[in-house]
Amino acid sequence: AAAMVMNPDLRKERAAATFQPELLTHVLDGGAERTRRRREIEALITNDPDFQHEDFNFLSRSQRYEQAIRKSALMVMKLREHGIADPDEIYLFKSFVHRGRPEPLDLHLGMFLPTLLTQATPEQQDRFFMPAWNLEIIGTYAQTEMGHGSHIRGLETTATYDPATQEFILNSPTVTSIKWWPGGLGKTSNHAIVLAQLYTLGQCKGLHAFIVPIRQLGTHEPLPGITVGDIGPKFGYDEMDNGYLKMDNFRIPRENMLMKYAQVEPDGTYVKPLSDKLTYGTMVFIRAHIVGDAARALSRSCTIAIRYSAVRHQSELKAGEPEPQVLDYQTQQYKLFPLLGAAYAFHFVGTYIRDTYRRISADIIEGDLSELPELHALTAGLKAFCSWIANAGIEECRMACGGHGYSRCSGLPDIYVTFTPSCTYEGENTVMMLQTARFLIKSYMQVGSGQRVTGTVSYLNDLPRQHIQPQHVAARPVTVLVNDPVSLVEVYKARAAWLVEAAAKNLQAELNRRKNKDDAWNVTSLDLVRATDAHCHYVVVKLFTAKLSEINNAAVRAVMTDLCLLYALDGISKNAGDFLQAGILTNTQVNQVNQHVKELLAIIRPNAVALVDAFDYSDSYLGSVLGRYDGNVYETMFEWAKKSPLNQTEVHESFHKHLKPMLSKL
Amino acid sequence: GVNPDLASERLAASFSVELLTASLDGGAERTRTRRAVVEAIESDPVFSQENQYFQSQNERYEAAVKRAVYLQKKIREMGWSETGSEVQYIYRCLSGDIALSLHRVFMRSISVLGSDEQIAKWMPLATSYQIIGSYAQTELGHGTYLQGLETTAVFDAATQEFILNTPTISAMKWWPGDMGRSATHSVVFAQLCVHGKCYGVHPFILQIRSLQDHSPRPGVTVGDIGPKMNFQHADNGFLRLQNVRVPRENMLSKFCEVQPDGTYVRWGSQKINYFTMTSVRISVLSDEVILPLMKACTIAIRYSVVRRQSKLKPGEQEAKILDYQTQQQKLLPQLAAAYAFHFINTYLHELFNRGYQDIQGKNFDSLPELHAFSSGFKALVSQHCTSGVEICLRACGGHGYSLLSGLPSLYTKIIASCIYEGENTVLLLQTARFLIKCFMAVSAGQPVPPSVTYLSSAKPGKCPAKDKSDFLNPEIYLKAYEQMASRLISSSAAKLQHLIRSGVDEYEAWNQCTVQLERAAKAHCHYITVKNFVETVEKLDNKAGIQKIMKHLCDLFALHGILSNMGDFLYDGYLTAAHMDLVTASYLDLLAVIRKDAVPLVDAFDFTDRSLNSALGSYDGQVYQRLYEGARRSPTNQQGNPAYGKYLKPLLQNTLSKL
């Protein structure tokens, strides 16, 4: 297969590009040096025979789990061998080893260790951190219960302090209180950080975290009082042993409660923590990460769909001519190019949040928490906004590949099932949107009471101050330059302002009907979600636009400007109702926008393949027969199919068992 | 017992669930028949799907073959007729999880495309399962565009045979169901060549495997195409032919024939055949597309009254998630759509039955309209239902992702319907072509089919609604839909004309308008769906509260459509920004009203727990107990953990580096 030549259609596409993809790759990585280092790390894995394995598509769930465990164990060793210790580089290494898939040690590395670092006392660190770092202890983080998700105050697991023995007694009192979903819990971990309601001296003190040993060291058998197992097959995540955990009068020493902040003294006296804001930090970090995941999932999908659309020929555009490349159809361009724009936009948004998080974390260490609420609100909303779009986008890409997109060899089903849970985990998207809405409404109210607001919501300062009225006041129509991204940012800003104001006024109107606050919030929640959506959309367009001026190479900047324009104009076209209803745009302007979207499709078309090449995914990371760099789609698909489990024997055993008796019965 | 949170929902029903079920089935008698069939199938352990979520591809396939074979016996035992209504209920009840379903397509193509002699020869063999058939059309490199197929069939007058070949990799047959491991025969489509002249794509009957030992026949390479997103039970196959010879009599020759000397003769009209292909699109809608949405709604809505999450008011118990407006906004429009599509499906079936009679009487006038209907509605309904099922999945939080919820497999299966039997974009553009033609005819004052006469009556104007209650008047919202669809069609036509007049060639002009045309076609089908819902509600029995609740659902479906496509409705000013506020107000009122009947409305679909196969959606609402029991049955818990001894233990004991 290595000797295949490049598909002539793809060769032609690459020759016709107006810019060098390599330069754009540098922009995405944050510099040529980083691109080099990323490739170097990937080569450590692709050139290492120990990391080779069979195609996961042909393995059962148990086999996939086993392969993932094998590679994770190996990874720990190899990281040390290669002397890789920088967290970003560890992350890169890990994602190349597992090719962007989840793995059973994710929770150990991503939750167990960091929680020990931030919430354990020095004494606890001595007991647990180094053994965990050396993987003598493998831990997970058990928060979610079968009956309780995003609303963590509703958790039912109890930890009751017994002063007589100085132990906590852990219990899962009901079926709904069984811990459910934690990754690595089912088969891999021997410890878990368990969140439970703390009871001491007869009083409930709310949720606290406890280090709970769950399996016997040496035999890996569950400890007495612990029922633990795998939660069964899921929509993807086959490599991960998401688990359940039921505890019956299971005792742990007092010293196993994480006590850096809150404490229980030997006599049972409870000592309150100083501040609970600090738990914000990790959540912001993980949600920021999901924006990056959304960018990667979507850019991989676009790479596959766009390359395949250049290779695939279908039907006729003109009678008598050869079948054209699918990518020449306007409808195909309309499906894929706005998503390509979104993939780039989300890359830049992801980088922005990561950098902002680092800057603010430094402030937090200095004790300055002032920017935290905005960052928290921004990441919650953007996590939801980007993951929803990416989720739908992956599916759009898959369907744009016709029947073959449905085959596992396309790689798209796997990308989808791996990504789609991020709409739910680390905060269900609708709940996230409503959290951001709370911040937007609060900011709006602040402006109303004469205070100025800063940051991404500063546009609220510019709203003409009206007294609260139930009717909307039409925004001023703005001049729109369809060729100027900066002008489009203003259009998005006007929409966000208008929808935030409308939601705030509707909320006020409900309150005026003497409804209580919570009812009023619930019956306004659709407006609130819509306002948040518009706010996030504005932020994304703004960040994409801001990125353009940082691109030095003129050819790269030109093509990214086209893509940014397409992304922004397509968003206006698809949400034309908002802009028309708000009176921001007239129908002539909407018409102009629609027209320009179609022109941009044709402008971007010659650069489409180069634009996905710039994402720089290797064939092994991409894991797709349709998206191969060399475009040898059909030959590879045939080779792949021959390896299918059903093809292991020329005549399947079902023939002898079932079909033969039927065929020969007469 | 039934979970009290679910039981209390049922007490509050405003209508008779049993009467609504009968109405959906088309009469109480049919409900009885359906239930009898379901009972007979589900009580038989061979048909149990209990373990399907835990099975490998090989196990799923074997179970499906076993069921298919056993089903023949069952049908004889029960005395069901192959053509009776029972058979239809069997497939519904098995959720299609059965092998040899292409055998029916094989038989249908022989009966439609074969001569009398061919029918006499092959049908008895197929009916008695002495042979197993598949249907091979799609190739690795060619899908929707039939003329592009590459497989060749060259006539050899000397031996009176056709020589079939797969000349390139992309010409390999790819995807046909039952082909990979099961079929002995297949109908194969190939380019017919006689004496160097090509006559286009024709169907041939080809034996692919030995009837003795099932091995591939000489020149045939055949196998399974590998794992897919779903359809693990089906052995979709590939087929490569190298100089495989079939007798001259194996070309299906109802409409044309190659005579012994190589003369190609064509006779009769192929239009009836065309009609058959068209009607297949409609026939998949009910079982493969609308039913999965109904199941997904049943699961998600029942779960949403069992699941409690956060508090709506401080101090109260955590609220049922269905009481959140955002959750209602996700699920209730899907429920309304499930009903809307059920009714449009009934309408389409009546239309096709009438059309079939016309065609039998050699009247082909209705054919273009039927074709446009089948293409457009297949696309619209499959697209809506697919996204509806996904919304239901994601509305169930984390547990929706467990296979035990039943939702992932509903989703991965229904998504295939957006591609098979014609890719949706291609189909919508076919409908658009018909609409543009009709629009031209209307403009020229010529008569058009009844479904598009509205194109002539639409005139610019303003919606007369003044109050939110006006938007509960079907006349008001139907007019808005009519206006919107007709504007999208006329502006696409104008744009197309403009491009052509300014010198762009016709094909290029069409391509430049396709984004707009696709939208116009969708708008048309959406309008017809709303209109049909309104007309159905008018005809419903007003007893037992059924008409009233259906009217609410109809209103919700219509208003949700307006809000989701706001830009199109606002564009020409027929509806204004102020109208949108009224629409929103009415829409939110409806959510609250329908919320109360949500559970009875899904109960009326009358799915058994076995056919839902969902820990979240069972009738008794014992969600958590079922999830826990399901997990404990998982092979990952029943079998040991080989990874521990091999990898984890050395890792934990730090002996890995010594290995």
Side-chain angles (χ1 to χ4, degrees):
Chain A
M4 287 182 184
V5 294
M6 195 190 290
N7 171 292
D9 284 314
L10 278 182
R11 198 165 48 221
K12 198 182 68 196
E13 295 290 336
R14 290 179 175 130
T18 64
F19 71 103
Q20 289 180 48
E22 179 71 14
L23 296 178
L24 182 51
T25 304
H26 297 167
V27 172
L28 287 170
D29 281 322
E33 170 52 26
R34 288 208 196 158
T35 300
R36 190 198 61 75
R37 179 62 179 153
R38 176 175 55 74
R39 288 179 183 155
E40 189 173 65
I41 290 174
E42 183 168 13
L44 290 177
I45 291 132
T46 36
N47 298 334
D48 188 338
D50 290 349
F51 281 119
Q52 304 313 309
H53 58 80
E54 252 184 283
D55 190 324
F56 271 30
N57 286 305
F58 302 128
L59 302 183
S60 71
R61 215 193 129 212
S62 282
Q63 291 167 322
R64 284 174 83 147
Y65 167 71
E66 192 177 319
Q67 280 300 317
I69 279 284
R70 183 182 73 78
K71 291 203 292 177
S72 295
L74 198 60
M75 177 181 82
V76 172
M77 227 172 64
K78 298 269 177 178
L79 277 170
R80 287 171 197 175
E81 219 171 85
H82 297 304
I84 294 176
D86 174 74
D88 284 349
E89 295 200 342
I90 291 179
Y91 178 78
L92 270 181
F93 193 90
K94 180 169 127 52
S95 70
F96 288 129
V97 167
H98 292 284
R99 297 177 193 176
R101 291 204 184 92
E103 54 115 347
L105 295 188
D106 275 348
L107 274 274
H108 177 76
L109 300 170
M111 291 297 289
F112 189 74
L113 288 174
T115 308
L116 286 179
L117 272 182
T118 53
Q119 297 189 39
T121 63
E123 181 272 328
Q124 289 174 324
Q125 303 238 0
D126 286 347
R127 271 200 296 147
F128 294 107
F129 190 80
M130 280 324 284
W133 181 253
N134 290 327
L135 288 150
E136 287 150 29
I137 286 177
I138 297 176
T140 179
Y141 187 84
Q143 175 177 303
T144 305
E145 295 173 359
M146 204 193 287
H148 309 276
S150 304
H151 180 64
I152 63 169
R153 273 166 299 166
L155 296 180
E156 296 176 78
T157 302
T158 58
T160 309
Y161 185 62
D162 177 0
T165 61
Q166 303 215 5
E167 288 173 321
F168 290 103
I169 308 163
L170 286 145
N171 268 302
S172 310
T174 58
V175 173
T176 47
S177 74
I178 297 175
K179 294 290 176 188
W180 202 265
W181 282 110
L185 173 62
K187 299 277 134 185
T188 311
S189 301
N190 53 27
H191 281 69
I193 288 175
V194 170
L195 268 82
Q197 303 285 357
L198 166 64
Y199 284 85
T200 182
L201 304 177
Q203 277 188 315
C204 180
K205 298 292 178 185
L207 278 184
H208 289 76
F210 301 85
I211 302 174
V212 182
I214 53 174
R215 287 190 168 95
Q216 189 75 53
L217 298 183
T219 65
H220 215 56
E221 291 294 327
L223 292 166
I226 297 284
T227 310
V228 62
D230 174 83
I231 63 163
K234 297 143 298 189
F235 197 28
Y237 270 59
D238 281 355
E239 302 80 10
M240 181 68 100
D241 54 323
N242 297 82
Y244 60 77
L245 172 67
K246 187 169 179 293
M247 293 170 292
D248 296 295
N249 289 318
F250 187 75
R251 288 174 172 261
I252 55 170
R254 185 184 68 90
E255 295 79 14
N256 277 25
M257 175 173 141
L258 286 172
M259 293 212 262
K260 185 165 176 184
Y261 301 110
Q263 285 162 20
V264 172
E265 292 178 346
D267 65 355
T269 309
Y270 178 74
V271 184
K272 268 206 303 210
L274 290 172
S275 158
D276 53 4
K277 257 191 186 166
L278 290 157
T279 46
Y280 268 180
T282 18
M283 284 198 290
V284 169
F285 177 71
I286 291 173
R287 285 171 196 158
H289 219 87
I290 291 175
V291 175
D293 286 345
R296 277 181 290 276
L298 191 53
S299 55
R300 284 168 79 182
S301 306
C302 286
T303 305
I304 296 166
I306 287 178
R307 285 184 185 156
Y308 177 61
S309 299
V311 171
R312 177 82 174 185
H313 289 252
Q314 182 78 42
S315 307
E316 53 183 17
L317 271 169
K318 294 178 194 177
E321 288 196 4
E323 295 182 54
Q325 290 165 289
V326 180
L327 202 54
D328 284 333
Y329 289 92
Q330 191 188 51
T331 44
Q332 188 78 351
Q333 297 165 6
Y334 186 63
K335 284 176 195 169
L336 297 176
F337 295 170
L339 291 172
L340 182 60
Y344 273 97
F346 296 174
H347 265 289
F348 301 138
V349 173
T351 314
Y352 168 83
I353 300 185
R354 196 192 59 205
D355 295 346
T356 314
Y357 171 73
R358 288 195 179 146
R359 183 172 55 75
I360 294 180
S361 306
D363 295 344
I364 293 174
I365 293 169
E366 302 294 311
D368 174 8
L369 302 180
S370 60
E371 283 188 80
L372 203 53
E374 189 195 347
L375 182 66
H376 180 250
L378 191 63
T379 47
L382 286 173
K383 178 259 175 185
F385 180 84
C386 297
S387 63
W388 265 336
I389 304 241
N391 184 67
I394 300 164
E395 279 295 77
E396 186 80 51
C397 288
R398 185 185 56 71
M399 285 192 269
C401 294
H404 297 327
Y406 193 74
S407 166
R408 301 271 281 267
C409 77
S410 75
L412 290 162
D414 222 31
I415 295 176
Y416 179 71
V417 295
T418 303
F419 181 75
T420 189
S422 49
C423 294
T424 307
Y425 63 57
E426 304 307 334
E428 197 278 328
N429 277 356
T430 304
V431 176
M432 292 297 96
M433 290 302 246
L434 289 170
Q435 283 188 10
T436 305
R438 243 178 238 285
F439 175 76
L440 294 175
I441 295 297
K442 214 168 123 189
S443 304
Y444 177 84
M445 295 300 184
Q446 261 179 309
V447 172
S449 65
Q451 286 171 268
R452 288 187 70 76
V453 290
T454 56
T456 56
V457 288
S458 54
Y459 59 83
L460 295 173
N461 295 323
D462 307 333
L463 280 171
R465 302 271 23 99
Q466 311 283 343
H467 273 288
I468 310 260
Q469 290 169 356
Q471 315 90 327
H472 303 304
V473 181
R476 289 161 295 157
V478 291
T479 325
V480 185
L481 307 171
V482 290
N483 265 320
D484 178 11
V486 177
S487 159
L488 299 179
V489 173
E490 291 304 308
V491 174
Y492 275 93
K493 189 196 270 185
R495 169 186 176 228
W498 188 78
L499 284 170
V500 170
E501 176 158 64
K505 287 182 174 171
N506 286 347
L507 183 63
Q508 191 56 48
E510 293 295 343
L511 285 170
N512 292 348
R513 278 181 217 154
R514 279 185 307 243
K515 285 214 174 125
N516 83 36
K517 237 167 69 182
D518 303 288
D519 281 340
W521 184 263
N522 190 27
V523 297
T524 319
S525 50
L526 294 187
D527 299 321
L528 292 162
V529 169
R530 195 171 153 204
T532 308
D533 187 74
H535 173 74
C536 294
H537 209 157
Y538 153 68
V539 172
V540 173
V541 172
K542 187 175 135 146
L543 292 174
F544 197 168
T545 303
K547 190 77 195 173
L548 298 175
S549 59
E550 295 172 23
I551 301 173
N552 297 321
N553 181 278
V556 173
R557 193 169 57 244
V559 70
M560 289 312 278
T561 305
D562 290 336
L563 202 57
C564 178
L565 280 170
L566 176 67
Y567 176 72
L569 290 170
D570 180 65
I572 295 176
S573 170
K574 291 201 175 115
N575 298 284
D578 288 355
F579 297 92
L580 288 168
Q581 194 186 9
I584 300 166
L585 299 179
T586 63
N587 60 0
T588 320
Q589 285 172 317
V590 169
N591 213 3
Q592 231 184 338
V593 167
N594 291 339
Q595 191 52 37
H596 201 47
V597 165
K598 289 191 270 179
E599 288 161 14
L600 281 164
L601 295 177
I603 291 170
I604 289 164
R605 165 68 186 85
N607 279 321
V609 169
L611 278 165
V612 298
D613 285 350
F615 290 129
D616 199 30
Y617 290 118
S618 66
D619 281 347
S620 73
Y621 186 77
L622 209 50
S624 167
V625 169
L626 302 187
R628 290 170 62 90
Y629 186 81
D630 68 10
N632 286 303
V633 168
Y634 298 128
E635 298 81 345
T636 323
M637 202 185 296
F638 187 34
E639 291 309 312
W640 181 86
K642 287 182 195 163
K643 291 185 242 155
S644 168
L646 278 188
N647 289 332
Q648 273 162 19
T649 53
E650 185 64 74
V651 176
H652 196 272
E653 60 177 333
S654 297
F655 170 73
H656 301 291
K657 280 201 214 161
H658 307 296
L659 289 178
K660 197 168 183 196
M662 175 177 75
L663 290 164
S664 55
K665 69 183 180 293
L666 294 172
Chain B
V2 174
N3 180 312
D5 280 336
L6 198 47
S8 64
E9 297 282 336
R10 292 186 173 122
L11 289 176
S14 78
F15 64 94
S16 157
V17 171
E18 186 61 23
L19 285 182
L20 181 54
T21 301
S23 162
L24 290 173
D25 278 324
E29 182 53 41
R30 289 202 196 168
T31 302
R32 266 193 297 281
T33 310
R34 177 174 57 74
R35 285 180 181 160
V37 171
V38 169
E39 171 58 25
I41 294 284
E42 288 188 345
S43 61
D44 192 327
V46 174
F47 296 109
S48 164
Q49 291 169 291
E50 199 183 26
N51 286 319
Q52 80 169 52
Y53 302 135
F54 303 130
Q55 287 172 329
S56 71
Q57 194 189 356
N58 268 319
E59 290 164 339
R60 287 285 301 274
Y61 166 67
E62 188 179 329
V65 170
K66 186 176 174 189
R67 275 201 281 276
V69 171
Y70 192 81
L71 182 62
Q72 300 314 314
K73 204 173 124 211
K74 186 87 185 174
I75 288 174
R76 277 197 306 274
E77 270 173 23
M78 299 297 295
W80 293 332
S81 126
E82 263 289 350
T83 50
S85 57
E86 287 95 348
V87 171
Q88 177 204 330
Y89 295 132
I90 295 170
Y91 286 95
R92 171 182 159 138
C93 167
L94 292 171
S95 310
D97 196 0
I98 186 165
L100 312 190
S101 46
L102 265 284
H103 191 64
R104 289 201 294 176
V105 180
F106 174 77
M107 292 203 286
R108 191 172 58 212
S109 33
I110 292 174
S111 63
V112 172
L113 303 170
S115 64
D116 293 344
E117 301 83 65
Q118 286 169 328
I119 292 173
K121 174 177 176 188
W122 294 102
M123 288 305 274
L125 292 171
T127 311
S128 62
Y129 284 91
Q130 286 170 279
I131 59 174
I132 297 166
S134 177
Y135 179 88
Q137 180 176 304
T138 305
E139 295 174 359
L140 190 43
H142 308 276
T144 308
Y145 182 66
L146 262 185
Q147 291 103 298
L149 296 181
E150 293 179 81
T151 305
T152 56
V154 177
F155 184 60
D156 178 358
T159 61
Q160 295 288 300
E161 288 170 322
F162 294 103
I163 310 164
L164 273 74
N165 265 299
T166 305
T168 61
I169 283 259
S170 55
M172 222 184 310
K173 295 294 176 190
W174 204 270
W175 284 108
D178 301 325
M179 166 85 81
R181 300 280 92 183
S182 310
T184 61
H185 286 68
S186 182
V187 168
V188 173
F189 284 80
Q191 300 283 357
L192 169 66
C193 300
V194 184
H195 300 329
K197 187 162 186 256
C198 185
Y199 291 92
V201 174
H202 287 71
F204 301 84
I205 297 178
L206 175 67
Q207 184 180 345
I208 56 177
R209 286 190 174 91
S210 147
L211 290 177
Q212 267 67 51
D213 63 5
H214 214 59
S215 62
R217 297 198 45 231
V220 171
T221 310
V222 62
D224 173 79
I225 63 163
K228 299 140 290 188
M229 284 190 94
N230 197 321
F231 292 89
Q232 254 65 284
H233 66 279
D235 52 324
N236 297 80
F238 61 76
L239 175 70
R240 189 181 199 182
L241 304 171
Q242 284 155 310
N243 293 318
V244 179
R245 290 175 170 262
V246 298
R248 188 180 64 89
E249 296 75 24
N250 279 28
M251 181 173 116
L252 287 172
S253 53
K254 178 156 188 178
F255 303 108
C256 49
E257 190 183 62
V258 175
Q259 292 179 339
D261 64 350
T263 311
Y264 178 81
V265 206
R266 171 175 282 282
W267 54 75
S269 164
Q270 260 187 303
K271 278 185 176 164
I272 183 98
N273 169 33
Y274 186 54
F275 175 80
T276 313
M277 296 303 155
T278 296
S279 64
V280 171
R281 291 196 179 121
I282 294 305
S283 69
V284 300
L285 282 185
S286 162
D287 283 3
E288 305 294 330
V289 179
I290 300 168
L291 226 57
L293 179 61
M294 290 174 166
K295 283 185 181 174
C297 286
T298 306
I299 295 167
I301 286 177
R302 285 182 183 163
Y303 178 60
S304 293
V305 299
V306 171
R307 178 78 173 187
R308 290 175 176 270
Q309 182 78 49
S310 309
K311 293 174 182 180
L312 269 170
K313 292 173 200 173
E316 286 189 358
Q317 198 187 0
E318 288 188 54
K320 291 177 175 180
I321 57 176
L322 197 59
D323 286 328
Y324 289 91
Q325 194 184 51
T326 45
Q327 186 76 352
Q328 295 164 12
Q329 143 86 355
K330 287 174 192 169
L331 297 180
L332 302 183
Q334 311 317 320
L335 179 61
Y339 277 94
F341 295 142
H342 173 82
F343 294 133
I344 198 74
N345 181 55
T346 310
Y347 168 79
L348 290 170
H349 276 277
E350 283 164 10
L351 202 70
F352 271 76
N353 289 340
R354 274 205 306 277
Y356 188 66
Q357 281 157 17
D358 287 352
I359 287 165
Q360 295 288 28
K362 301 281 175 215
N363 173 1
F364 297 110
D365 293 350
S366 60
L367 214 51
E369 190 188 16
L370 289 176
H371 180 68
F373 264 115
S374 78
S375 308
F377 280 104
K378 186 268 177 182
L380 181 88
V381 177
S382 63
Q383 203 172 333
H384 261 264
C385 291
T386 297
S387 75
V389 171
E390 205 207 357
I391 289 169
C392 292
L393 189 159
R394 280 195 277 133
C396 292
H399 296 325
Y401 294 100
S402 169
L403 292 198
L404 301 170
S405 76
L407 291 164
S409 64
L410 284 173
Y411 179 65
T412 51
K413 211 165 167 201
I414 194 176
I415 51 178
S417 70
C418 294
I419 309 284
Y420 63 57
E421 304 302 342
E423 195 274 331
N424 280 354
T425 303
V426 175
L427 293 183
L428 284 167
L429 290 174
Q430 289 179 5
T431 306
R433 229 176 248 286
F434 166 80
L435 293 171
I436 295 293
K437 260 188 210 156
C438 293
F439 179 79
M440 300 301 185
V442 163
S443 311
Q446 290 157 2
V448 288
S451 62
V452 285
T453 46
Y454 74 94
L455 290 173
S456 60
S457 62
K459 289 183 188 61
K462 286 237 182 286
C463 172
K466 301 228 156 23
D467 186 81
K468 70 174 179 177
S469 64
D470 290 338
F471 280 102
L472 301 178
N473 176 355
E475 263 178 56
I476 296 277
Y477 57 68
L478 273 180
K479 190 74 198 160
Y481 268 93
E482 185 180 301
Q483 189 76 22
M484 188 266 307
S486 130
R487 179 189 61 80
L488 281 169
I489 294 163
S490 67
S491 69
S492 309
K495 174 84 190 169
L496 197 58
Q497 288 290 299
H498 170 78
L499 285 171
I500 291 169
R501 255 187 256 119
S502 63
V504 180
D505 85 27
E506 211 173 305
Y507 301 101
E508 185 49 37
W510 179 262
N511 192 27
Q512 283 184 28
C513 293
T514 43
V515 167
Q516 232 168 310
L517 286 161
E518 189 185 359
R519 197 145 139 193
K522 263 191 229 171
H524 167 75
C525 295
H526 200 159
Y527 161 60
I528 303 283
T529 309
V530 175
K531 187 161 168 259
N532 178 65
F533 204 159
V534 169
E535 285 164 2
T536 305
V537 170
E538 280 164 5
K539 282 179 281 185
L540 279 176
D541 200 339
N542 65 4
K543 278 195 310 247
I546 286 171
Q547 193 181 37
K548 191 166 165 219
I549 185 70
M550 286 296 120
K551 165 78 168 58
H552 289 322
L553 281 178
C554 176
D555 293 345
L556 186 79
F557 181 75
L559 300 188
H560 180 257
I562 293 176
L563 292 173
S564 313
N565 299 281
M566 209 195 288
D568 289 335
F569 284 93
L570 285 171
Y571 182 84
D572 66 354
Y574 184 79
L575 293 185
T576 62
H579 283 133
M580 284 303 163
D581 288 341
L582 301 178
V583 172
T584 307
S586 268
Y587 170 75
L588 294 180
D589 291 347
L590 283 166
L591 286 182
V593 171
I594 295 167
R595 156 69 188 89
K596 297 188 195 117
D597 277 320
V599 169
L601 280 167
V602 297
D603 284 351
F605 295 141
D606 200 28
F607 292 112
T608 60
D609 285 350
R610 282 199 173 104
S611 84
L612 286 174
N613 206 2
S614 164
L616 304 188
S618 61
Y619 188 83
D620 65 9
Q622 298 299 348
V623 166
Y624 299 115
Q625 205 58 45
R626 281 169 199 270
L627 263 181
Y628 190 44
E629 281 161 14
R632 303 205 71 150
R633 278 210 330 271
S634 167
T636 42
N637 294 324
Q638 297 295 319
Q639 300 156 5
N641 179 4
Y644 174 69
K646 280 196 227 170
Y647 307 112
L648 283 178
K649 197 170 177 191
L651 178 74
L652 289 164
Q653 299 179 349
N654 247 327
T655 52
L656 196 68
S657 48
K658 293 171 210 142
L659 288 180

